[in-house]
Amino acid sequence: MNTVVQSPIESQKNPDHQGGVELGLTWRNGFADLGLDFYTPLSPEPLPSPYWVGKSLAVAHELGLDASLMDSPALLEALSGNVNLMGTSSLASVYSGHQFGQWAGQLGDGRAILLGEARAPRHANPHNPDAGLEIQLKGAGRTPYSRMGDGRAVLRSSIREFLCSEAMQALSIPTSRALCVTGSDARVRREEIETAAVVTRVAPSFIRFGHFEHFSHSDQHEQLKTLADYVIDRYYPDCRSTSKFAGNPYAALLESVSERTAETLAQWQSVGFCHGVMNTDNMSILGLTIDYGPFQFLDAYVPGHICNHSDTGGRYAFNKQPSIAYWNLYALGQALLPLIGEQALAIAALESYKTVFPAAFERLMLAKLGLIDLQADDRDLIETTLKLLATEGVDFTIFWRRLSQHMAGAGVDTVRDLFIDQAAFDTWLLQYSERIKHFSRGLVADLMLKTNPKYVLRNHLGEEAIRAAKLKDFSVVRDLLAVLEKPFDEHPAFEAWAGFPPGWASGIELSCCSWSCFLWFFD
C-alpha cells in the first residue's frame, strides 16, 4: 500500500523541463528513478521580486559553474523558483521520523524541492562515475508534505544555514553545502512578520533515516528494499562485497552509516557545535550535517548547554548528542530489520559506533592539544582539560586558539587570564607541559593552529549579518562568509569577530519555528 497523504494543494506533475535557464550542466535525478511511492513531482512556487543575499563561489566552483553566472539575473530567477533550470525534474520527497523521541508519522519535504543531480566531476564517485550533487531549493513553497506550513523559509534562518553550511565545510566537518541565498520582500508570518528567502543547498544526497522509517513503519518492504539497494549501490558499494554479517549487505549498510555518523558526531563535539534538533528525519544517511535550524557553536564551555529554546526537556543538549545519535541509529536499525532479518545482526551492526566515536573524539582532542601520538595518560589529560573548562565556564573557541598561540610564542597570560581559579590552570598547565616537553614546539604549534579555529559562526555574528541584511546591506553576509571560509587564518581586519560575545548575545533565542561527559554512554 502507499500511505502518502496529499495536502489540499494539487500535486503538480513536472516532467523534465525542456525550457528555462541553461547552466551547461549534465542533469539527472537518480532519486526520481525510484518511483512515485517516494515523492511527488512538483514545481517551486515563484518568489516575488527576488534579490541576491549571499553567494558561495566555492560551491559554484564545485558544481562546475562559471563565477560570472552568479551575477546572472536569469540564475537569480531560477534559484528563486521563478523559472525552470533546463534538464531538471523537480520533486518533494516523503519520509517519516521520530521527533524529540516520539514517533511523528509521515513528514516529508515540507518546504524543500529537489531539482535533480548536477554532474560534478570534483565529487565523482569512483564506484559510480555518473553520480553528481543534488540541488535543493529550501523555502520554495508548499508541498504535499507541508502540513499546516506555508512552505517558505525566512531571511533569518536562511542566512544562518547558508553561513553555517560553509563554515562547517571549512572546518572539514561533513555537511550539506549552500550555493546561495535569494531574498524577497514577500511577507511571511512566524512569531512576527518576516521576509521570505530561498537557500539553494547542495549535497551528494538528502536521504535521511526518516526515509527508511517511512517505508518500514508502513510495511512497504518492497519500497524499503528499493531504497536500501539504491543507497548501497550509489553510496556504499562495498557493502555488497563484505564478508561480515554473513554477507548481509543491509547489516553492513547499518554499520557503515553508524561509523560515518560517529565520526561526524566526534567532530561536532570537538568544535563545540550543537545541532539542536537531532530528530531522525534530520539525520543524513551519509553522515552529513543537514537541516540547520536551531544550532549554535558554544561560547562558554557548558556541557549541558541547550541551544534550542523549544527543547524544554534538554533532549538535544550538547553533551547528549553522542547518545542521541546512537538512539537514532537504533531507530534506523529497527527500520532496516525487515531487510537485515535478525535483531542480533542489527545490534551487532550498531556496535562499532561505541568504539568509533570515542576513538575519533580522542584523536581530534589530541590534535587540539598538539599531540600526534596516544600515550597512557592522555585520556586523563583530555578529561582534566574539559573538566577545567566546564568548571570555569571558559570560552571554548578562545581557549583553544589562545593555547595554540601560546605554543607559537605568545605569553601564557593570555590563556591564564581566561580562568578565575588561576592556580587550577597552573596545575593543569604543568601536566600539559610535561606531556609535550619532548616535542618540537614549532610542530606542536603548527598542528594546533591548523586544528583550533580562530573564527566560528557564533550566534551574535549571525545576528549581525541578519540585522544588516534586513536593511538590504548584504556586506556583512559577504564578509562573514569570507572569514568563515578560512577560519584558521588571522583576518586582522575582522579581529573583533574572534572576540568574546557581547552581553546582548545571551538574549538570542533559537527554536524550531567534557570527555567524562561521554564516558557514561560507552561503559
Side-chain angles (χ1 to χ4, degrees):
M1 68 178 174
N2 189 322
T3 61
V4 173
V5 178
Q6 302 288 354
S7 79
I9 67 171
E10 294 184 8
S11 300
Q12 302 175 47
K13 293 293 180 76
N14 185 23
D16 289 356
H17 297 152
Q18 299 303 314
V21 178
E22 171 60 65
L23 295 182
L25 298 177
T26 301
W27 289 91
R28 60 164 292 178
N29 196 334
F31 190 85
D33 294 339
L34 298 179
L36 290 174
D37 288 335
F38 295 85
Y39 61 87
T40 299
L42 197 69
S43 295
E45 289 183 17
L47 187 69
S49 303
Y51 44 79
W52 295 109
V53 174
K55 313 168 192 175
S56 171
L57 296 183
V59 177
H61 178 70
E62 289 298 307
L63 289 168
L65 295 176
D66 191 288
S68 63
L69 277 174
M70 299 306 292
D71 292 320
S72 163
L75 185 61
L76 170 63
E77 294 290 335
L79 296 182
S80 300
N82 296 345
V83 298
N84 295 332
L85 283 171
M86 290 180 62
T88 60
S89 183
S90 55
L91 59 86
S93 74
V94 62
Y95 48 82
S96 297
H98 286 82
Q99 297 190 330
F100 292 92
Q102 303 297 316
W103 178 247
Q106 181 182 297
L107 301 166
D109 291 329
R111 55 179 173 168
I113 293 181
L114 177 66
L115 299 181
E117 283 177 64
R119 179 73 177 275
R122 296 174 186 84
H123 281 253
N125 181 339
H127 301 285
N128 187 347
D130 293 329
L133 290 173
E134 293 185 346
I135 300 180
Q136 271 191 351
L137 300 184
K138 181 177 179 180
R142 293 187 67 198
T143 79
Y145 318 113
S146 298
R147 296 184 286 179
M148 300 301 293
D150 60 17
R152 287 299 187 192
V154 297
L155 182 66
R156 165 180 44 85
S157 62
S158 299
I159 288 174
R160 283 172 52 82
E161 175 158 358
F162 172 70
L163 291 173
C164 199
S165 298
E166 295 310 286
M168 295 289 270
Q169 172 70 19
L171 293 170
S172 299
I173 297 175
T175 181
S176 59
R177 304 289 301 275
L179 174 64
C180 64
V181 176
T182 64
S184 167
D185 291 337
R187 292 150 61 91
V188 292
R189 181 178 294 277
R190 295 296 182 262
E191 293 179 356
E192 59 184 18
I193 298 296
E194 302 188 53
T195 58
V198 172
V199 183
T200 300
R201 57 184 187 175
V202 177
S205 174
F206 288 97
I207 295 175
R208 307 140 186 278
F209 292 10
H211 281 95
F212 294 86
E213 290 184 288
H214 177 76
F215 294 108
S216 184
H217 191 269
S218 56
D219 294 325
Q220 297 181 77
H221 295 168
E222 181 180 344
Q223 291 89 337
L224 178 67
K225 183 177 185 301
T226 295
L227 179 64
D229 287 340
Y230 171 77
V231 169
I232 290 172
D233 293 340
R234 291 295 302 272
Y235 308 109
Y236 294 96
D238 291 345
C239 291
R240 295 285 186 204
S241 57
T242 182
S243 60
K244 294 185 69 176
F245 311 113
N248 187 317
Y250 307 108
L253 172 64
L254 180 59
E255 181 182 66
S256 296
V257 175
S258 298
E259 292 177 356
R260 284 201 193 183
T261 303
E263 291 279 354
T264 297
L265 263 291
Q267 290 175 282
W268 287 5
Q269 301 300 121
S270 74
V271 298
F273 176 76
C274 311
H275 187 282
V277 196
M278 289 178 63
N279 298 330
T280 58
D281 57 296
N282 293 335
M283 298 291 292
S284 162
I285 201 67
L286 301 183
L288 306 175
T289 311
I290 59 172
D291 290 353
Y292 291 92
F295 67 81
Q296 183 178 1
F297 286 88
L298 291 176
D299 293 324
Y301 184 69
V302 178
H305 179 72
I306 303 164
C307 74
N308 182 356
H309 182 63
S310 302
D311 186 10
T312 54
R315 177 178 177 82
Y316 300 136
F318 175 71
N319 61 349
K320 292 182 180 179
Q321 291 185 146
S323 59
I324 290 297
Y326 182 82
W327 192 99
N328 290 340
L329 286 161
Y330 186 88
L332 176 63
Q334 290 297 108
L336 288 170
L337 196 56
L339 304 181
I340 294 174
E342 299 178 27
Q343 182 84 21
L345 278 182
I347 295 298
L350 294 169
E351 280 300 300
S352 61
Y353 182 90
K354 300 178 183 179
T355 55
V356 171
F357 171 77
F361 182 73
E362 181 179 86
R363 182 182 70 250
L364 293 164
M365 294 306 296
L366 288 176
K368 292 178 79 68
L369 289 161
L371 305 175
I372 58 175
D373 63 337
L374 176 65
Q375 294 189 5
D377 294 333
D378 285 345
R379 288 190 178 91
D380 177 65
L381 175 61
I382 293 170
E383 182 174 349
T384 300
T385 305
L386 294 177
K387 281 183 175 179
L388 179 64
L389 296 180
T391 299
E392 293 277 316
V394 174
D395 188 285
F396 191 69
T397 300
I398 290 177
F399 167 77
W400 289 108
R401 188 65 180 188
R402 287 192 182 181
L403 184 65
S404 306
Q405 291 168 331
H406 165 58
M407 295 306 299
V412 73
D413 284 346
T414 61
V415 190
R416 182 183 285 112
D417 288 347
L418 297 172
F419 296 83
I420 297 173
D421 187 349
Q422 295 191 340
F425 169 75
D426 289 339
T427 299
W428 173 85
L429 184 62
L430 180 62
Q431 179 187 6
Y432 177 57
S433 299
E434 280 295 308
R435 175 64 178 88
I436 63 172
K437 66 182 181 181
H438 297 301
F439 289 96
S440 161
R441 191 174 181 115
L443 291 177
V444 169
D446 184 63
L447 174 59
M448 293 176 71
L449 289 169
K450 292 177 179 177
T451 302
N452 297 309
K454 182 170 182 175
Y455 299 91
V456 295
L457 181 58
R458 295 178 185 262
N459 275 349
H460 73 279
L461 299 180
E463 184 64 20
E464 289 177 9
I466 291 163
R467 290 178 180 180
K470 287 180 177 180
L471 300 174
K472 302 290 178 67
D473 175 3
F474 306 120
S475 64
V476 184
V477 173
R478 182 195 63 231
D479 292 344
L480 190 50
L481 175 64
V483 169
L484 294 172
E485 286 179 327
K486 297 182 177 180
F488 304 100
D489 292 356
E490 288 298 320
H491 301 290
F494 300 101
E495 184 71 25
W497 287 351
F500 293 99
W504 58 263
S506 62
I508 299 173
E509 289 188 349
L510 308 172
S511 61
C512 299
C513 56
S514 76
W515 183 258
S516 58
C517 299
F518 308 130
L519 292 183
W520 63 270
F521 176 67
F522 299 105
D523 285 344

